[in-house]
Amino acid sequence: MERLKIVIVGHVDHGKSTLIGRLFYDTDSLPESKIKEIKEVCEALGKEIEFGYVLDYLEEERKQGVTIDTTQSFFKTQKREYAIIDAPGHVEFLKNMITGASQAEAAILIVDAKEGIKEQTRRHAYILSMLGLKQVIVVINKMDLVDYSKERFQEVKKELLEFLKTISIEPKYIIPISAKNGDFIAKKSENLSWYDGPTVLEALDSFEKIKELDEKPFRLPVQDVYNFDKRVIVGRIASGVISKGDEIKIYPSGEVTKIKSVEKYGREIDKASAGESIGLTTEDKVFVDRGDIISKKDEKQPIVTKEINAHIFWMDKEPYKEGERLLFKCATQEVMCEMKIKRVIDSATLETLDKKIIENRNVADVVIKTEKPVVVESFNEIPPLGRFVLQRQDTCAGGIITGDGCDNNSN
Amino acid sequence: MDHLDALENESIFIIREAYRKFHKIGMLWSVGKDSTTLLWLVRKAFFGRVPFPVIYIDTGLHFKEMYEFRDWCVKKWNLNLIISKNYEEAEKLGIGPKDKLKCCTIRKTEALKKTIEEHKFDALLLGIRRDEHGVRAKERVFSPRNKDFYWDYKNQPPELWDQFKTQKESEQHIRVHPLLHWTELDIWKYIKREKLPVNPLYFAKNGKRYRSLGCMPCTKPIDSNAKTVDEIIEEIKTSKIAERSGRAQDKEEAHAMQKLRALGYM
């Protein structure tokens, strides 16, 4: 059975955890012991049964009623299985939200019908847009608190659509729901008889798995080279297809050779495509190591550059000032870099800030100058080579390569 | 690429990252279905080899079938086995299964601490999965622990786009979780597809089978008639009983697993 990864994002308290708990409950995906445990915990805390507790596992989360870290769990419908990622809505835990959202293939943005758009609604939507998530459902939750009012729904919907347009998100569906009461999650409901769209589950089932990477030019970021009983280049194919006999070019050296074999343990295979972890042997002895990128000679070649135009989001308490050196990691490449700041944006208001310093939760347009040439792509072309992270001791920013990637294409 | 292929490819990528990035790496092998699947994936990643030691934490309280299965695999796959143990100390202090939190900590966590210290491991592969337990659902693929094994789950490093935490700070070791994205059902389907050897305790005898393996006093079998891998797959598809329902240490008190893990439990 196919599995699709979905992230649920939105402002704190708008009901992400409750929606997920409801999805599990309504699809009969909760173990009996779990339901019992939730009842017991709720009783111990002197609260009504809260579906939100299905996912809030940490002691602190239950005490404070706030999700701290991303949780992944699974449920299934007739069509497929879902890995659902609950991303924290509290501003403090933005880096955890980004960690969750970066793994998703589709997203649900949840908005409280009463409160409407709030700070994290805007910030999370913006991050979805930056991450390139195209399959988005908006749910307007807590309809029970506004008497299931069609007028209120229309009002919030209008406001949302105007905002989402400015960040190039076109939601596939906008659904009124009550996660607490189960309206329009798994089944339609009389409470919302004026709404004739799909339920959340129907909307999710209409999404497709993204498969287009097979059709892009071949790129293999070299992960390692093994010399057990013969020399094998290993890595996971970022895009495209490779077959025995193909002519390849190795970057940055520019060396050219032919594929002698494509291998997995215990068998030679004819060809392999995007997402596969493979081994390659070559006709000629070539110099190759981790961080090199392999392309096919007869296909479009990658960009080789020391200057990259990028859009980054900063997720470290310590701000960035020009002049600091950071580690740039893109696929298996690692090289030191510096950044020139072009524009800094407040991710909550989307306003441009007049400053030359990137602070926690800011988004910025930058030029990244690497100390050695790197092999990259525009994020829109080949996402695995168009996205990167920047590290100090830990990852402090993530980013995507915009436009044609660079100012001085030295390829 | 089907679903099991996708899982396998991702896991192999993670295993190869860990192998390349750390100097001294080992893997924890409980001889259960998950870590045996992990061992199989390691063999695939390195074309039939297991190029690092495999650590078995012996609590002194395991089933004899576990020891037998372990020794059989060690021979068959030519494994470099390290036995990690601290149960003599537990027995000397009279700490047993009556106090589950203490017993798990001294027999497993403390044993592993000694082994890490002795062999200077900087990274360990573990076969934990997100769907096993809610607290494990919050793990990262590469997860740092300090020398006291403390898991700072509130302040975990971001992990995006297969870029992991590979710069270890001093005194830390990194736990690597190549099976984090698998479910129990995936494991059994994969075992079937790859025809992996399985510990006989998993199969039903007299209407009972073990769904998760651990120490004898704290692991109870479930009611089941599943005598083959196929029958186990069918059972899990329809079951509403949690996988670790037979594991006493998870249930002692609310948040027991969280407390155990904060103390360094696997």
Side-chain angles (χ1 to χ4, degrees):
Chain A
M1 201 184 225
E2 181 180 85
R3 183 177 298 159
L4 194 79
K5 287 186 189 164
I6 299 278
V7 68
I8 308 214
V9 299
H11 196 73
V12 64
D13 276 345
H14 281 197
K16 288 179 295 296
S17 300
T18 310
L19 171 60
I20 296 171
R22 181 49 91 168
L23 284 168
F24 280 102
Y25 190 75
D26 287 0
T27 53
D28 216 17
S29 308
L30 285 177
E32 279 156 14
S33 59
K34 187 82 236 170
I35 297 174
K36 192 165 154 260
E37 188 195 327
I38 294 164
K39 283 184 182 158
E40 282 167 8
V41 170
C42 290
E43 268 167 33
L45 295 173
K47 292 185 178 179
E48 273 180 66
I49 298 286
E50 280 192 34
F51 286 110
Y53 288 155
V54 172
L55 288 184
D56 289 339
Y57 285 105
L58 303 175
E59 205 169 353
E60 277 98 332
E61 294 186 343
R62 282 181 176 159
K63 272 191 196 145
Q64 298 175 17
V66 173
T67 306
I68 290 172
D69 204 345
T70 302
T71 308
Q72 265 191 47
S73 313
F74 308 87
F75 74 91
K76 58 176 180 264
T77 62
Q78 290 294 327
K79 181 171 177 189
R80 63 159 80 94
E81 207 166 43
Y82 290 92
I84 203 135
I85 305 163
D86 179 24
H90 197 283
V91 63
E92 272 297 300
F93 309 116
L94 187 72
K95 64 179 187 179
N96 296 341
M97 177 270 167
I98 292 171
T99 293
S102 71
Q103 298 161 29
E105 296 161 279
I108 298 178
L109 174 65
I110 190 165
V111 185
D112 185 317
K114 209 167 174 179
E115 290 198 357
I117 298 181
K118 300 291 268 189
E119 185 178 310
Q120 294 329 303
T121 317
R122 274 191 291 270
R123 188 176 268 138
H124 285 189
Y126 191 36
I127 285 163
L128 293 183
S129 152
M130 270 195 72
L131 293 171
L133 274 168
K134 301 258 179 332
Q135 307 195 101
V136 179
I137 299 172
V138 172
V139 295
I140 300 190
N141 188 28
K142 304 194 191 179
M143 287 302 293
D144 52 310
L145 296 186
V146 296
D147 299 326
Y148 296 100
S149 154
K150 185 178 177 183
E151 287 67 38
R152 180 59 191 155
F153 172 73
Q154 296 292 7
E155 218 171 79
V156 179
K157 179 176 166 177
K158 184 165 170 279
E159 187 193 9
L160 255 169
L161 282 176
E162 276 168 18
F163 159 67
L164 291 176
K165 208 174 157 193
T166 64
I167 55 169
S168 316
I169 287 185
E170 278 180 49
K172 298 270 194 283
Y173 306 96
I174 301 186
I175 310 172
I177 63 164
S178 163
K180 192 174 160 224
N181 296 340
D183 302 308
F184 271 85
I185 310 295
K187 46 187 188 296
K188 298 190 187 321
S189 144
E190 276 309 302
N191 294 329
L192 294 159
S193 53
W194 48 263
Y195 172 74
D196 63 358
T199 63
V200 174
L201 283 184
E202 285 166 347
L204 285 175
D205 278 349
S206 78
F207 283 164
E208 295 300 328
K209 273 205 81 86
I210 303 156
K211 286 183 183 130
E212 64 206 12
L213 279 172
D214 281 4
E215 285 139 40
K216 304 276 185 181
F218 176 75
R219 301 286 183 261
L220 179 80
V222 174
Q223 201 178 359
D224 212 334
V225 180
Y226 297 151
N227 277 301
F228 293 126
D229 37 37
K230 62 181 172 189
R231 195 157 175 268
V232 183
I233 302 164
V234 299
R236 189 174 178 197
I237 302 173
S239 60
V241 178
I242 189 85
S243 307
K244 188 178 167 174
D246 282 344
E247 268 199 290
I248 56 162
K249 191 168 178 184
I250 300 166
Y251 285 87
S253 75
E255 274 192 272
V256 173
T257 182
K258 249 186 182 170
I259 297 293
K260 193 170 161 190
S261 65
V262 182
E263 305 193 7
K264 288 197 168 177
Y265 169 54
R267 61 201 163 114
E268 263 190 47
I269 47 181
D270 292 337
K271 64 174 196 177
S273 54
E276 289 192 70
S277 285
I278 54 158
L280 294 177
T281 63
T282 53
E283 291 286 351
D284 311 292
K285 186 149 175 64
V286 283
F287 182 78
V288 57
D289 202 356
R290 181 183 170 89
D292 290 353
I293 307 288
I294 299 177
S295 71
K296 258 172 23 187
K297 205 167 155 261
D298 61 356
E299 289 181 337
K300 184 169 181 275
Q301 297 304 302
I303 299 163
V304 183
T305 182
K306 288 172 78 175
E307 273 194 28
I308 301 160
N309 284 321
H311 204 49
I312 65 161
F313 41 87
W314 193 256
M315 40 185 168
D316 195 6
K317 290 200 172 96
E318 193 63 38
Y320 182 81
K321 294 188 191 91
E322 285 187 0
E324 185 191 345
R325 292 168 76 237
L326 298 168
L327 183 66
F328 172 88
K329 287 174 100 175
C330 172
T332 56
Q333 305 174 93
E334 292 180 29
V335 55
M336 294 306 291
C337 75
E338 280 186 31
M339 295 196 290
K340 207 178 104 210
I341 300 169
K342 290 203 300 199
R343 187 164 77 109
V344 183
I345 302 156
D346 180 325
S347 61
T349 60
L350 309 192
E351 279 164 10
T352 299
L353 303 169
D354 184 23
K355 60 178 187 181
K356 276 282 174 190
I357 165 172
I358 310 172
E359 287 175 287
N360 199 9
R361 298 192 284 273
N362 283 164
V363 172
D365 290 328
V366 296
V367 180
I368 293 175
K369 298 184 177 191
T370 56
E371 293 179 2
K372 278 187 278 181
V374 286
V375 181
V376 294
E377 299 286 350
S378 146
F379 178 73
N380 289 327
E381 281 298 311
I382 304 181
L385 281 173
R387 59 197 181 198
F388 58 88
V389 300
L390 299 168
Q391 289 188 339
R392 283 169 168 153
Q393 190 67 253
D394 284 328
T395 295
C396 51
I400 59 167
I401 297 167
T402 53
D404 61 355
C406 51
D407 291 333
N408 300 310
N409 188 348
S410 60
N411 184 21
Chain B
M1 199 191 311
D2 76 13
H3 176 61
L4 289 179
D5 288 329
L7 291 171
E8 178 187 89
N9 282 306
E10 191 172 346
S11 298
I12 290 175
F13 174 81
I14 294 163
I15 292 164
R16 286 174 173 164
E17 274 311 90
Y19 181 63
R20 170 70 190 222
K21 283 296 182 174
F22 297 103
H23 298 290
K24 191 74 207 273
I25 179 172
M27 74 162 268
L28 288 194
W29 178 45
S30 71
V31 311
K33 62 189 191 313
D34 301 316
S35 57
T36 305
T37 298
L38 176 58
L39 192 55
W40 181 255
L41 288 162
V42 168
R43 295 183 71 242
K44 283 203 168 190
F46 305 111
F47 302 96
R49 284 161 195 79
V50 180
F52 39 72
V54 169
I55 304 157
Y56 178 83
I57 302 178
D58 190 354
T59 61
L61 298 171
H62 286 156
F63 296 91
K64 82 170 185 342
E65 288 89 341
M66 291 169 71
Y67 299 106
E68 286 166 6
F69 184 78
R70 179 192 76 188
D71 295 338
W72 180 82
C73 291
V74 166
K75 217 167 144 189
K76 187 175 162 73
W77 290 331
N78 192 24
L79 305 174
N80 172 8
L81 181 75
I82 292 176
I83 294 174
S84 168
K85 58 180 182 351
N86 195 36
Y87 60 80
E88 285 107 342
E89 175 142 352
E91 274 150 25
K92 209 162 65 195
L93 295 169
I95 296 171
K98 274 195 181 137
D99 188 344
K100 293 184 179 60
L101 193 70
K102 263 193 185 158
C103 187
C104 271
T105 302
I106 191 162
R107 285 175 197 257
K108 293 187 189 172
T109 312
E110 294 302 324
L112 183 59
K113 273 185 195 167
K114 284 198 335 203
T115 303
I116 290 181
E117 178 84 3
E118 186 186 332
H119 294 268
K120 306 275 179 271
F121 286 115
D122 53 9
L124 292 177
L125 299 177
L126 275 77
I128 68 163
R129 307 188 328 267
R130 284 204 171 103
D131 75 323
E132 270 180 279
H133 192 283
V135 172
R136 286 183 175 170
K138 294 186 181 288
E139 269 290 359
R140 299 284 193 265
V141 178
F142 279 52
S143 181
R145 294 290 189 285
N146 73 6
K147 72 175 191 322
D148 297 320
F149 280 20
Y150 179 68
W151 180 38
D152 188 4
Y153 53 82
K154 267 166 123 174
N155 191 29
Q156 301 196 70
E159 189 167 81
L160 45 159
W161 303 323
D162 291 335
Q163 297 294 352
F164 305 118
K165 177 166 175 68
T166 51
Q167 289 165 284
K168 183 181 84 85
E169 283 151 52
S170 63
E171 304 269 290
Q172 269 184 344
H173 78 272
I174 306 281
R175 300 240 174 124
V176 181
H177 304 131
L179 299 182
L180 206 53
H181 49 297
W182 294 54
T183 64
E184 185 187 15
L185 190 56
D186 294 333
I187 294 281
W188 283 108
K189 285 182 173 168
Y190 190 73
I191 285 171
K192 176 182 151 89
R193 188 181 91 170
E194 303 285 311
K195 302 188 181 67
L196 290 186
V198 184
N199 198 304
L201 291 167
Y202 285 112
F203 300 113
K205 249 187 248 157
N206 307 323
K208 299 258 182 202
R209 75 173 192 91
Y210 289 89
R211 195 164 160 194
S212 174
L213 299 184
C215 299
M216 283 184 291
C218 290
T219 308
K220 297 282 167 269
I222 57 161
D223 292 333
S224 167
N225 289 311
K227 293 193 184 68
T228 63
V229 173
D230 282 311
E231 286 169 12
I232 290 175
I233 290 172
E234 276 315 303
E235 179 189 282
I236 296 167
K237 274 186 185 163
T238 51
S239 170
K240 286 199 74 184
I241 313 282
E243 179 183 1
R244 291 177 65 91
S245 61
R247 302 291 289 273
Q249 69 265 40
D250 295 10
K251 297 188 289 198
E252 184 77 330
E253 51 180 313
H255 310 297
M257 185 69 162
Q258 184 186 344
K259 283 172 192 150
L260 272 170
R261 285 181 65 75
L263 290 168
Y265 185 78
M266 290 59 75

Coordinates of all heavy atoms in Angstrom, one line a residue, chain A residues 252-277:
Chain A
P252 N 33.3 17.8 -9.3 CA 33.8 18.9 -10.2 C 35.0 18.6 -11.1 O 35.3 19.4 -11.9 CB 34.3 19.9 -9.1 CG 34.7 19.1 -7.9 CD 33.9 17.9 -8.0
S253 N 35.5 17.4 -11.1 CA 36.8 17.1 -11.9 C 36.5 17.1 -13.4 O 37.4 17.5 -14.2 CB 37.3 15.7 -11.5 OG 36.5 14.7 -12.1
G254 N 35.3 16.8 -13.8 CA 34.9 16.8 -15.2 C 35.3 15.5 -15.9 O 35.2 15.4 -17.1
E255 N 35.8 14.6 -15.2 CA 36.2 13.3 -15.8 C 35.0 12.6 -16.4 O 33.9 12.6 -15.8 CB 36.9 12.4 -14.7 CG 38.4 12.6 -14.6 CD 39.0 11.5 -13.8 OE1 39.0 11.7 -12.5 OE2 39.5 10.5 -14.4
V256 N 35.2 11.9 -17.5 CA 34.2 11.2 -18.2 C 34.5 9.7 -18.2 O 35.6 9.3 -18.4 CB 34.0 11.7 -19.6 CG1 33.0 10.9 -20.4 CG2 33.6 13.2 -19.5
T257 N 33.5 8.8 -18.0 CA 33.7 7.4 -18.1 C 32.4 6.7 -18.4 O 31.4 7.4 -18.6 CB 34.4 6.8 -16.9 OG1 34.6 5.4 -17.1 CG2 33.5 6.9 -15.6
K258 N 32.4 5.4 -18.5 CA 31.2 4.6 -18.8 C 30.8 3.7 -17.6 O 31.7 3.3 -16.9 CB 31.4 3.7 -19.9 CG 30.7 4.1 -21.2 CD 30.9 3.0 -22.3 CE 30.2 3.4 -23.5 NZ 30.5 2.6 -24.6
I259 N 29.5 3.5 -17.4 CA 29.0 2.7 -16.3 C 29.3 1.2 -16.7 O 28.8 0.7 -17.7 CB 27.5 2.9 -16.0 CG1 27.3 4.3 -15.5 CG2 27.0 1.9 -15.0 CD1 27.9 4.7 -14.2
K260 N 30.0 0.5 -15.8 CA 30.2 -0.9 -16.1 C 29.1 -1.8 -15.5 O 28.6 -2.7 -16.1 CB 31.6 -1.3 -15.4 CG 32.1 -2.6 -15.8 CD 33.6 -2.7 -15.3 CE 34.1 -4.1 -15.2 NZ 35.3 -4.2 -14.5
S261 N 28.7 -1.4 -14.2 CA 27.6 -2.1 -13.6 C 26.8 -1.2 -12.7 O 27.4 -0.3 -12.1 CB 28.1 -3.3 -12.9 OG 28.9 -3.0 -11.8
V262 N 25.5 -1.5 -12.5 CA 24.7 -0.8 -11.5 C 24.4 -1.9 -10.5 O 23.9 -3.0 -11.0 CB 23.4 -0.2 -12.1 CG1 22.6 0.5 -11.0 CG2 23.7 0.7 -13.3
E263 N 24.7 -1.7 -9.2 CA 24.6 -2.9 -8.3 C 23.8 -2.6 -7.1 O 23.8 -1.5 -6.5 CB 26.0 -3.3 -7.9 CG 26.9 -3.6 -9.0 CD 28.1 -4.4 -8.6 OE1 28.3 -4.7 -7.5 OE2 29.0 -4.5 -9.5
K264 N 23.1 -3.7 -6.6 CA 22.5 -3.7 -5.3 C 23.1 -5.0 -4.7 O 23.6 -5.8 -5.4 CB 21.0 -3.7 -5.3 CG 20.5 -2.4 -5.7 CD 19.0 -2.3 -5.4 CE 18.6 -0.8 -5.5 NZ 17.1 -0.7 -5.2
Y265 N 23.0 -5.1 -3.4 CA 23.6 -6.3 -2.8 C 23.1 -7.6 -3.4 O 21.9 -7.8 -3.5 CB 23.3 -6.3 -1.3 CG 23.7 -7.7 -0.6 CD1 25.0 -8.2 -0.8 CD2 22.8 -8.4 0.1 CE1 25.4 -9.4 -0.2 CE2 23.2 -9.6 0.7 CZ 24.4 -10.1 0.5 OH 24.8 -11.3 1.0
G266 N 24.0 -8.4 -3.9 CA 23.7 -9.7 -4.3 C 23.2 -9.8 -5.8 O 23.0 -10.8 -6.3
R267 N 23.1 -8.6 -6.4 CA 22.6 -8.7 -7.8 C 23.0 -7.5 -8.6 O 23.1 -6.4 -8.1 CB 21.1 -8.8 -7.8 CG 20.3 -7.7 -7.2 CD 18.9 -8.1 -6.8 NE 18.4 -7.1 -5.9 CZ 17.4 -6.3 -6.1 NH1 16.7 -6.4 -7.3 NH2 17.0 -5.5 -5.2
E268 N 23.2 -7.7 -9.9 CA 23.5 -6.6 -10.8 C 22.1 -6.2 -11.4 O 21.3 -7.1 -11.6 CB 24.3 -7.0 -12.0 CG 25.8 -6.7 -11.8 CD 26.6 -6.9 -13.0 OE1 26.2 -6.5 -14.1 OE2 27.7 -7.5 -12.9
I269 N 21.8 -4.9 -11.5 CA 20.5 -4.5 -12.0 C 20.8 -3.8 -13.3 O 21.8 -3.2 -13.5 CB 19.7 -3.7 -11.0 CG1 20.6 -2.6 -10.4 CG2 19.2 -4.6 -9.9 CD1 19.9 -1.8 -9.4
D270 N 19.8 -3.7 -14.2 CA 20.0 -3.1 -15.5 C 20.0 -1.6 -15.4 O 20.8 -0.9 -15.9 CB 18.8 -3.5 -16.5 CG 19.0 -4.9 -16.9 OD1 20.1 -5.5 -16.8 OD2 18.0 -5.6 -17.2
K271 N 19.0 -1.1 -14.5 CA 19.0 0.4 -14.4 C 18.4 0.7 -13.0 O 17.8 -0.2 -12.3 CB 18.2 1.0 -15.5 CG 16.7 0.6 -15.5 CD 16.0 1.4 -16.6 CE 14.5 1.4 -16.4 NZ 13.8 2.2 -17.4
A272 N 18.6 1.9 -12.6 CA 18.0 2.4 -11.3 C 17.6 3.8 -11.5 O 18.1 4.5 -12.3 CB 19.1 2.3 -10.2
S273 N 16.6 4.2 -10.6 CA 16.1 5.6 -10.8 C 16.0 6.3 -9.5 O 16.4 5.8 -8.4 CB 14.7 5.5 -11.5 OG 13.9 4.6 -10.8
A274 N 15.5 7.6 -9.5 CA 15.5 8.5 -8.4 C 15.0 7.8 -7.1 O 14.0 7.1 -7.1 CB 14.6 9.7 -8.7
G275 N 15.8 8.1 -6.0 CA 15.4 7.5 -4.7 C 16.1 6.2 -4.4 O 16.1 5.8 -3.2
E276 N 16.7 5.6 -5.4 CA 17.3 4.3 -5.1 C 18.8 4.5 -4.6 O 19.5 5.3 -5.1 CB 17.3 3.4 -6.3 CG 16.0 2.9 -6.7 CD 16.0 1.8 -7.8 OE1 16.5 0.7 -7.5 OE2 15.6 2.1 -8.9
S277 N 19.1 3.7 -3.5 CA 20.5 3.6 -3.0 C 21.2 2.5 -3.8 O 20.8 1.4 -3.7 CB 20.5 3.3 -1.5 OG 20.1 4.4 -0.8

